[in-house]
């Protein structure tokens, strides 16, 4: 193979690896093969031909919090399970969850460092990869219309995957805003508009929708500070993109007859706010029941006490009928019930929790789910305040690894990843599930390499100026 062909092959694999982060929005864990071919397998070959420049961003900012998180998880996995020695272990967590996560973190970091001008490729490849992903999601949406407006998930396991990935990556395209030309800025704003369609109409993912609007609002507020002018889109540009996106979502809903899907997302927010008093009292009642000595910790769903059965019914939801949740993954009432059960358990062991697999007793045997649909409560139940602190540090890695960047770019990375994922995990325990944990590790590894490349480019620019 001549040098020209080698160079073209390497370039193709580099582009495919970066684009794979967007393609995972409709491939889900089926993107594993793509990441192996374009990410993992070329590493030994690339190590021989691609020099790794000295790191500008300290590696410990990535390795220390990740090592602490996985070190703690593995220790509790083996030595503090919360189960009796002879009890069957649950599907999640298992050893594969943590071993593959660590391997993908190393893969994402090393593969990213082996891509020269990585930040250049990311900011130019990612918008077009997201457009391709949107086209696939749109096609899947139209194909499933005759089946009754099903939520789009593609080959992924859940519809939250397209929403979470598209939301995260579309916000990340705002990196180095002041260096973008007019076309690149237009493309970035167009992706933010399409983000509305993915979150509201295609997937109807309420947790991701809440994260999308909160992060959008945060960026709008930042533009009023003088230090961010010219370094982020203006509030007019952001609100214009949001308005166009919501209009597109509404129009698509009317034309296809799937408008109820978008309405259901907003109705959930209304229910959550208007039902606060009932939810608060429901928490107190269920927490008390969870601590009652007469209620066994392993009763099956059909054996629930009558008071718990009543609490799970839609009568605690006063702002909308239970039909508002027909497109949701889980009823709000059932989520409230699991959260209340978790709160009662947390009070019993607030510092160190009940053990890494205790959710099997608390949630799986009662409700049939692998987790309690709130990452923070999951951490508190299994590891108490200690694991919550370590988990928040792990979630905050994007802030830690971007320390050398301009403050505007550092906020783009942190809000796009930590805040989007952090808010979404109010409704789902992503770090208790394999795909989400594995994708996050691969992503933060790539982000570390992107930050390092941006710092290298900035240093070169300073020398030439």
């Amino acid at each position: 193979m001549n040098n020209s062909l080698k160079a073209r092959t390497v370039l193709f694999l580099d582009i495919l690896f970066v684009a794979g982060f967007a393609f995972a929005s409709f491939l889900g864990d089926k993107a594993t093969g793509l990441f192996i071919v374009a990410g993992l397998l070329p590493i030994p070959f690339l190590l021989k031909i691609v020099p790794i420049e000295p790191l500008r961003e300290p590696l410990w900012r990535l390795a220390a919090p990740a090592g602490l998180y996985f070190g703690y998880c593995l220790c509790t996995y083996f030595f503090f399970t919360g189960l009796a020695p002879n009890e069957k272990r649950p599907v999640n967590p298992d050893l594969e969850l943590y071993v593959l996560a660590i391997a993908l973190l190393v893969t994402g970091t090393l593969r990213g460092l082996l891509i020269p001008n990585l930040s250049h490729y990311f900011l130019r490849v990612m918008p077009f990869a997201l457009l391709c992903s949107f086209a696939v999601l749109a096609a899947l949406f139209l194909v499933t219309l005759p089946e009754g407006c099903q939520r789009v998930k593609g080959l992924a396991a859940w519809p939250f995957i397209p929403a979470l990935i598209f939301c995260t990556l579309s916000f990340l395209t705002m990196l180095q805003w002041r260096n973008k030309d007019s076309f690149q800025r237009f493309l970035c704003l167009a992706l933010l508009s399409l983000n509305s369609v993915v979150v509201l109409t295609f997937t109807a993912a309420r947790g991701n929708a809440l994260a999308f609007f909160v992060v959008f609002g945060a960026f709008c507020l930042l533009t009023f500070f003088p230090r961010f002018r010219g370094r982020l889109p203006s509030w007019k540009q952001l609100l214009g993109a949001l308005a166009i996106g919501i209009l597109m979502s509404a129009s698509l809903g009317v034309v296809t007859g799937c408008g109820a899907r978008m309405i259901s997302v907003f109705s959930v927010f209304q229910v959550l706010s208007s039902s606060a008093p009932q939810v608060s009292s429901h928490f107190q009642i269920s927490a008390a029941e969870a601590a009652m000595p007469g209620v066994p910790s392993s009763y099956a769903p059909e054996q629930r006490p009558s008071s718990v059965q009543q609490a799970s019914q839609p009568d605690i939801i006063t702002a909308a009928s239970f039909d508002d949740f027909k497109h949701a993954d889980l009823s709000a009432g059932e989520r409230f019930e699991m959260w209340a059960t978790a709160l009662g358990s947390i009070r019993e062991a607030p510092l160190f929790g009940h053990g890494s697999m205790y959710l099997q007793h608390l949630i799986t045997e009662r409700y049939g789910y692998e987790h309690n649909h709130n990452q923070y409560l999951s951490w508190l139940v299994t590891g108490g305040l200690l694991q919550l602190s370590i988990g928040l540090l792990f979630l905050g890695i994007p802030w830690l690894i971007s320390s050398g960047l301009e403050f505007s770019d550092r906020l783009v990375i942190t809000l796009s990843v930590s805040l989007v994922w952090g808010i979404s995990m109010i409704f789902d325990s992503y770090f208790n599930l394999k795909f989400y944990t594995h994708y996050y590790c691969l992503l933060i590894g790539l982000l570390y390499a992107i930050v390092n490349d941006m710092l290298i480019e900035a240093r070169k620019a300073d020398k030439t100026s």
Side-chain angles (χ1 to χ4, degrees):
M1 185 182 294
N2 58 46
N3 291 335
S4 177
L5 182 57
K6 286 182 180 179
R8 288 197 296 269
T9 302
V10 170
L11 177 61
F12 172 75
L13 291 175
D14 290 347
I15 293 175
L16 190 61
F17 178 68
V18 173
F21 284 86
F23 296 160
S25 62
F26 59 87
L27 291 175
D29 56 6
K30 305 298 189 299
T32 303
L34 186 153
F35 287 124
I36 291 175
V37 172
L40 182 62
L41 293 181
I43 288 178
F45 169 73
L46 294 174
L47 282 172
K48 297 179 181 180
I49 65 172
V50 179
I52 298 180
E53 298 193 39
L55 299 179
R56 301 300 177 189
E57 183 66 21
L59 185 59
W60 67 266
R61 295 182 184 274
L62 172 65
L68 179 63
Y69 180 77
F70 288 117
Y72 177 84
C73 288
L74 287 171
C75 284
T76 56
Y77 175 80
F78 287 109
F79 305 112
F80 184 43
T81 64
L83 303 178
N86 59 343
E87 283 188 275
K88 182 180 178 180
R89 296 196 170 200
V91 175
N92 276 313
D94 63 1
L95 199 56
E96 179 189 352
L97 170 67
Y98 302 124
V99 172
L100 277 183
I102 296 170
L104 288 170
L105 178 63
V106 174
T107 300
T109 305
L110 185 56
R111 185 65 178 90
L113 292 173
L114 290 170
I115 301 178
N117 302 315
L118 173 60
S119 58
H120 169 86
Y121 285 126
F122 180 84
L123 294 174
R124 283 156 181 77
V125 170
M126 188 52 64
F128 293 101
L130 287 172
L131 288 176
C132 292
S133 297
F134 181 84
V136 173
L137 294 173
L140 293 172
F141 171 72
L142 295 175
V143 167
T144 58
L145 280 179
E147 302 175 11
C149 298
Q150 294 186 3
R151 303 167 74 187
V152 176
K153 62 180 183 179
L155 299 179
W158 304 281
F160 318 113
I161 290 175
L164 181 67
I165 293 178
F166 203 95
C167 189
T168 298
L169 296 178
S170 61
F171 280 127
L172 281 174
T173 61
M174 289 194 294
L175 277 170
Q176 295 189 324
W177 178 262
R178 68 172 180 171
N179 296 330
K180 296 181 184 295
D181 57 34
S182 57
F183 175 73
Q184 291 171 333
R185 293 185 176 190
F186 169 79
L187 198 56
C188 175
L189 293 171
L191 288 171
L192 295 182
S193 296
L194 296 179
N195 200 348
S196 301
V197 180
V198 172
V199 171
L200 297 178
T201 303
F202 290 173
T203 63
R206 60 178 176 265
N208 303 118
L210 178 62
F212 169 69
F213 285 115
V214 169
V215 172
F216 220 108
F219 279 120
C220 286
L221 290 176
L222 288 175
T223 61
F224 288 98
F225 292 89
R227 69 182 302 180
F228 297 114
R229 288 174 188 167
R231 289 177 169 81
L232 292 174
S234 68
W235 66 271
K236 293 181 180 179
Q237 290 173 318
L238 288 171
L239 290 181
L242 179 61
I244 292 172
I246 293 178
L247 181 61
M248 291 170 60
S249 299
S251 301
L252 195 59
V254 171
V255 171
T256 61
C258 296
R261 177 181 298 177
M262 177 178 172
I263 295 173
S264 69
V265 174
F266 289 105
S267 66
V268 168
F269 300 153
Q270 181 184 3
V271 168
L272 292 177
S273 60
S274 62
S275 300
Q278 292 93 328
V279 173
S280 177
S281 61
H282 172 61
F283 276 178
Q284 296 171 3
I285 294 172
S286 296
E289 288 166 347
M292 287 174 58
V295 180
S297 63
S298 60
Y299 58 73
E302 62 270 14
Q303 298 172 319
R304 299 178 192 174
S306 58
S307 57
V308 176
Q309 288 179 336
Q310 292 173 358
S312 67
Q313 298 301 313
D315 60 352
I316 71 166
I317 301 171
T318 59
S321 69
F322 195 74
D323 290 338
D324 290 334
F325 302 97
K326 61 184 178 181
H327 293 301
D329 62 307
L330 185 69
S331 75
E334 202 164 12
R335 260 192 175 86
F336 291 151
E337 185 180 344
M338 286 192 290
W339 294 351
T341 301
L343 286 171
S345 176
I346 291 165
R347 294 190 185 99
E348 299 171 2
L351 295 180
F352 302 106
H354 295 275
S356 61
M357 302 179 191
Y358 187 73
L359 288 175
Q360 174 164 294
H361 283 321
L362 192 68
I363 300 299
T364 306
E365 294 175 1
R366 297 187 183 194
Y367 307 101
Y369 299 99
E370 294 179 10
H371 56 91
N372 60 3
H373 289 79
N374 183 297
Q375 185 63 63
Y376 310 104
L377 293 179
S378 294
W379 280 332
L380 285 167
V381 167
T382 58
L385 291 172
L386 176 60
Q387 186 169 17
L388 176 65
S389 302
I390 296 173
L392 291 175
L393 184 65
F394 182 62
L395 182 62
I397 284 179
W399 172 260
L400 298 175
I401 62 176
S402 57
S403 61
L405 297 181
E406 287 189 5
F407 193 57
S408 57
D409 286 333
R410 193 179 187 189
L411 283 178
V412 168
I413 289 177
T414 304
L415 295 180
S416 301
V417 182
S418 297
L419 192 57
V420 167
W421 284 64
I423 294 175
S424 298
M425 289 196 298
I426 295 173
F427 293 86
D428 287 281
S429 303
Y430 287 153
F431 289 157
N432 279 48
L433 302 171
K434 292 177 183 177
F435 172 82
Y436 297 99
T437 307
H438 295 164
Y439 184 88
Y440 179 79
C441 287
L442 197 64
L443 178 62
I444 59 176
L446 180 76
L447 284 175
Y448 171 81
I450 289 174
V451 169
N452 191 70
D453 184 70
M454 290 172 66
L455 294 175
I456 291 172
E457 292 299 318
R459 187 180 181 88
K460 290 178 180 178
D462 290 339
K463 286 184 178 180
T464 57
S465 61

